[in-house]
Amino acid sequence: MSNLFGMIWTGVSGVNAAQIGISVTGNNMSNMKTENYSRQTVELVTKKPQYTYNGAIGKGVDVAAVRREYDDLLAANVRNSNSNYLYYNSMSTTLKSAMLYFNELESGSGLGDALKNYFNAWQDLSNSAPDDTSESLTKRTVLVKAADTLAMKIRDGYKYLEDTRTQCDITIQNEVNAINEITTQIAKLNKEIVSAEAMGQPANELRDMRDGLLDDLAEKTQISTYLREDGSVSVYMNGQTLVDNGTAHKLLTEKDPNNDNHLKVMWKTDNPNSKPIDMTSLMKGGTIAAQLQVRDNELKQYQSDLDALAKKMIEETNRIHATGMGLDKASEYTGKTQVINPEYPLNSPEGMLPYPVKNGSFEINISTPTGKTDDEGNDIYDTRKITIQVSESDTLKTVLEKINQQGGNYVSASLNIDNTVTIKAAAGSYIAFGEDTTDFLMATGMNSFFSGSSAKDINLDASIKENPRLIAASEFGAEGDNTNALKISKLQTTSFSTVKGNVTFSAFYGYFIGEMSSAKSQSDTFKATTEMAYKELNTQLMSIRGVSEGDEQVNLSLYQKMFEINSRYINVVDEMLNTLINGLGSAGR
């Protein structure tokens, strides 16, 4: 029934509620700048009334809960948008690094200028007489430097891209390690939250910590979550479970032999008998997916483009250079390339040279032993034409036999211990190679200008670097004959295939940097768009969970008034009790 003592407890309930409200408000104000903190509010409900003959009489107020202001669905959207933003931001950062390396800010500093200088040097040499004049020798020295610089720029560019891909691996490994740490902490918090809430205790702070970890996780890879009735959260990555209640499943990395030993990302349960699942191509959003994308697509494409440039440069230059002659006459040439087995047909897997050999013939020009010259003083050559029939299963060994048969006593060919070829003139003679429709000379590495076979190892031939007189600018060494130098200078208009299409040597740099710029520009556009979406969604979430100084001051004032009013109410009831007990005379004493 309603009495003075019951009335006191009504006031006490108001005082208690006000104290809790002030305490929660103070906690909010203390955590205004705390990361991942969600504003808390006091949920007040009317106590169940007391029913009397005079009707229902209220008994005060109860604190039903201290509620955490949060929107799980909106938070999931924020995580996804942030994951998308960080994906493009990470791509943009890596592409920017690659582009800055190749973007030539200073004249003469990069690949574009190296290509231009290389072909200009050949052009200059073609305008000089193939003799021992200081002008000719100077131009040969300039060409050596230009060719050496070009080869170095290609090698260094390829290596820089490979180093950048390796840096992507380091980032991926670090992010995978971080994910495993985060999922372990989430699993631990799941247990603590379930335990606390099972005993009726709010776990607001623990949930804040867990949501903060989920935010961190989404920065590294796109995730989805499912909140269970017991308060635990399950976390999924593209269909695979990362966290299930109190259990965390691990990600791991392995070297992929099919991708230059770069890392692949694997998912595995905690069952020791389970086999890891390759998630590399399935990763979406976040830093890891961005690094995988840049590493295995953009950067790999740029490497492939440099490879195409180097291979075509080596092939076309050496094809022409092999059939020419330098200032120093040679009596012997040894090829730089080899086959696995010289007895297998050319172009077969076992008998193949670095470049395919075609049906046709090549010429070996042999000076006469007597050193006869024509009326203009040019050497007279005895030309031997060697025919190759790949379609009839010619092997390296049979081609050498043909050279020996045709060469007679003037030229011989032999197979070296490392399966390279040596072609040698008889004593007192020297040789030069003429027209080659088979590519045999270029394929065997005879009289090469460049060594190597790709962007990794392209280099100026060591003998030419040491002696520029060996540059085969002439076809036969006749006065005024710069045919080979002119042919090589005109290679700048030759087209070759890249990842995205055909391009000429002279246009390669523009194409190459254009591809980089396009990829960087696209990533920047998506970065700006996704950043805007993330900020908008995050603003909406912060309007729900964020602490407002003005709102908390209002709440503080309200709870202060509530405390004061209920305190005065208790004083009034206390005075009534005092009157009842002490002011009704002595009858009751």
Side-chain angles (χ1 to χ4, degrees):
M1 65 178 180
S2 176
N3 52 45
L4 292 175
F5 289 104
M7 292 168 65
I8 285 181
W9 285 112
T10 298
V12 169
S13 71
V15 168
N16 288 338
Q19 286 178 319
I20 293 173
I22 291 172
S23 178
V24 170
T25 302
N27 188 48
N28 286 338
M29 297 174 73
S30 297
N31 287 282
M32 283 184 64
K33 299 298 182 182
T34 302
E35 187 178 7
N36 299 320
Y37 178 79
S38 297
R39 177 170 59 93
Q40 298 180 15
T41 57
V42 179
E43 184 179 346
L44 301 178
V45 295
T46 302
K47 279 181 175 288
K48 186 177 181 181
Q50 180 181 0
Y51 296 98
T52 70
Y53 291 111
N54 297 319
I57 299 174
K59 296 171 63 178
V61 65
D62 259 340
V63 175
V66 177
R67 188 174 61 244
R68 173 175 171 263
E69 298 299 328
Y70 198 76
D71 187 326
D72 289 298
L73 181 59
L74 180 56
N77 289 333
V78 170
R79 289 188 197 108
N80 282 338
S81 63
N82 191 32
S83 188
N84 290 332
Y85 161 65
L86 289 172
Y87 173 85
Y88 290 109
N89 182 62
S90 181
M91 281 188 66
S92 178
T93 300
T94 304
L95 290 173
K96 179 181 179 181
S97 174
M99 188 173 173
L100 283 176
Y101 179 84
F102 288 98
N103 196 14
E104 300 176 9
L105 300 179
E106 297 180 12
S107 178
S109 66
L111 178 61
D113 285 316
L115 278 165
K116 186 187 303 181
N117 294 338
Y118 171 73
F119 285 111
N120 285 344
W122 275 112
Q123 181 65 48
D124 286 345
L125 183 59
S126 72
N127 294 326
S128 298
D131 52 27
D132 289 340
T133 63
S134 60
E135 178 189 8
S136 173
L137 293 176
T138 298
K139 288 184 177 181
R140 286 171 178 270
T141 302
V142 169
L143 173 57
V144 164
K145 183 177 180 181
D148 194 38
T149 299
L150 174 60
M152 180 188 68
K153 289 294 182 182
I154 295 174
R155 289 196 313 273
D156 288 354
Y158 188 94
K159 183 178 183 302
Y160 179 82
L161 291 171
E162 186 59 31
D163 289 345
T164 306
R165 295 184 76 196
T166 300
Q167 186 58 51
C168 290
D169 282 340
I170 294 172
T171 301
I172 291 166
Q173 183 64 67
N174 291 339
E175 294 293 68
V176 165
N177 292 341
I179 285 176
N180 290 334
E181 292 178 7
I182 291 171
T183 54
T184 299
Q185 293 179 58
I186 291 174
K188 180 181 178 182
L189 285 171
N190 270 345
K191 293 179 181 179
E192 295 177 5
I193 291 169
V194 170
S195 177
E197 294 184 350
M199 294 186 292
Q201 298 297 321
N204 293 338
E205 284 75 12
L206 294 176
R207 283 177 176 255
D208 279 343
M209 292 172 61
R210 186 177 66 187
D211 283 320
L213 290 171
L214 290 173
D215 293 342
D216 293 341
L217 190 58
E219 293 178 356
K220 304 173 190 320
T221 185
Q222 195 172 83
I223 60 171
S224 59
T225 60
Y226 176 71
L227 186 61
R228 300 189 181 276
E229 292 184 0
D230 61 2
S232 66
V233 67
S234 294
V235 185
Y236 304 94
M237 181 190 72
N238 202 34
Q240 303 299 339
T241 306
L242 290 180
V243 180
D244 185 22
N245 201 340
T247 302
H249 300 296
K250 301 291 186 181
L251 293 181
L252 51 96
T253 58
E254 294 180 2
K255 289 185 177 181
D256 186 356
N258 296 320
N259 191 17
D260 302 322
N261 277 330
H262 287 291
L263 297 182
K264 56 183 178 179
V265 180
M266 314 293 288
W267 173 88
K268 189 180 185 303
T269 68
D270 56 352
N271 183 344
N273 297 320
S274 65
K275 293 184 178 180
I277 297 176
D278 190 350
M279 300 293 293
T280 306
S281 61
L282 303 175
M283 302 291 287
K284 297 178 181 178
T287 306
I288 293 180
Q291 293 298 299
L292 288 170
Q293 167 68 26
V294 174
R295 185 195 73 186
D296 296 340
N297 289 276
E298 282 77 11
L299 296 179
K300 194 170 185 178
Q301 176 197 324
Y302 305 149
Q303 283 186 308
S304 297
D305 286 338
L306 286 179
D307 245 348
L309 170 69
K311 288 177 180 178
K312 197 65 174 178
M313 183 71 71
I314 294 168
E315 178 183 348
E316 295 297 333
T317 304
N318 286 353
R319 178 181 283 115
I320 297 172
H321 196 269
T323 60
M325 179 182 293
L327 295 179
D328 291 345
K329 298 170 182 177
S331 60
E332 178 180 320
Y333 288 99
T334 296
K336 305 295 193 302
T337 59
Q338 53 191 219
V339 296
I340 297 174
N341 193 323
E343 297 186 1
Y344 276 77
L346 293 167
N347 300 343
S348 70
E350 296 83 359
M352 189 171 211
L353 291 160
Y355 300 94
V357 178
K358 298 177 288 189
N359 289 332
S361 62
F362 65 92
E363 297 176 345
I364 303 177
N365 299 311
I366 314 163
S367 70
T368 59
T370 57
K372 291 182 178 180
T373 60
D374 59 20
D375 294 339
E376 296 179 355
N378 297 317
D379 293 314
I380 297 176
Y381 292 93
D382 181 10
T383 300
R384 305 298 167 93
K385 183 175 288 189
I386 311 300
T387 301
I388 296 178
Q389 294 296 327
V390 178
S391 58
E392 295 180 7
S393 301
D394 255 335
T395 68
L396 181 60
K397 193 170 182 180
T398 62
V399 174
L400 300 187
E401 289 172 355
K402 290 180 181 181
I403 295 173
N404 289 327
Q405 290 171 1
Q406 300 253 0
N409 297 323
Y410 299 111
V411 66
S412 63
S414 60
L415 189 68
N416 301 314
I417 193 169
D418 60 352
N419 283 349
T420 59
V421 174
T422 294
I423 300 178
K424 185 177 181 180
S429 298
Y430 60 89
I431 57 175
F433 300 110
E435 182 182 14
D436 180 9
T437 62
T438 68
D439 286 342
F440 178 81
L441 299 173
M442 181 265 293
T444 52
M446 290 289 172
N447 196 23
S448 296
F449 184 81
F450 284 116
S451 64
S453 60
S454 67
K456 287 182 182 180
D457 59 3
I458 182 174
N459 209 338
L460 180 61
D461 186 271
S463 59
I464 290 179
K465 189 183 297 188
E466 183 179 341
N467 182 11
R469 295 173 59 87
L470 297 178
I471 296 174
S474 170
E475 279 192 332
F476 297 107
E479 185 176 352
D481 178 18
N482 284 313
T483 306
N484 269 16
L486 186 59
K487 285 181 180 179
I488 294 175
S489 72
K490 290 181 177 180
L491 286 178
Q492 58 189 307
T493 60
T494 300
S495 296
F496 60 95
S497 297
T498 64
V499 174
K500 294 293 182 68
N502 292 337
V503 66
T504 63
F505 285 114
S506 60
F508 175 82
Y509 178 75
Y511 154 81
F512 187 72
I513 203 68
E515 285 294 296
M516 286 188 168
S517 299
S518 177
K520 174 68 166 56
S521 177
Q522 186 179 57
S523 66
D524 285 345
T525 299
F526 284 117
K527 171 187 171 183
T529 303
T530 53
E531 182 180 22
M532 187 182 303
Y534 163 66
K535 286 183 176 179
E536 183 175 337
L537 288 171
N538 193 52
T539 299
Q540 294 179 30
L541 181 61
M542 290 308 296
S543 69
I544 296 172
R545 72 180 298 194
V547 178
S548 167
E549 180 181 356
D551 290 346
E552 299 307 320
Q553 287 180 346
V554 170
N555 288 338
L556 187 61
S557 297
L558 290 175
Y559 286 125
Q560 182 184 9
K561 292 292 184 183
M562 182 178 175
F563 184 88
E564 292 172 353
I565 290 171
N566 279 279
S567 295
R568 287 199 296 272
Y569 169 78
I570 292 171
N571 286 334
V572 170
V573 176
D574 181 61
E575 290 176 3
M576 292 170 65
L577 279 171
N578 183 56
T579 300
L580 180 63
I581 294 172
N582 299 315
L584 297 179
S586 61
R589 296 178 186 174

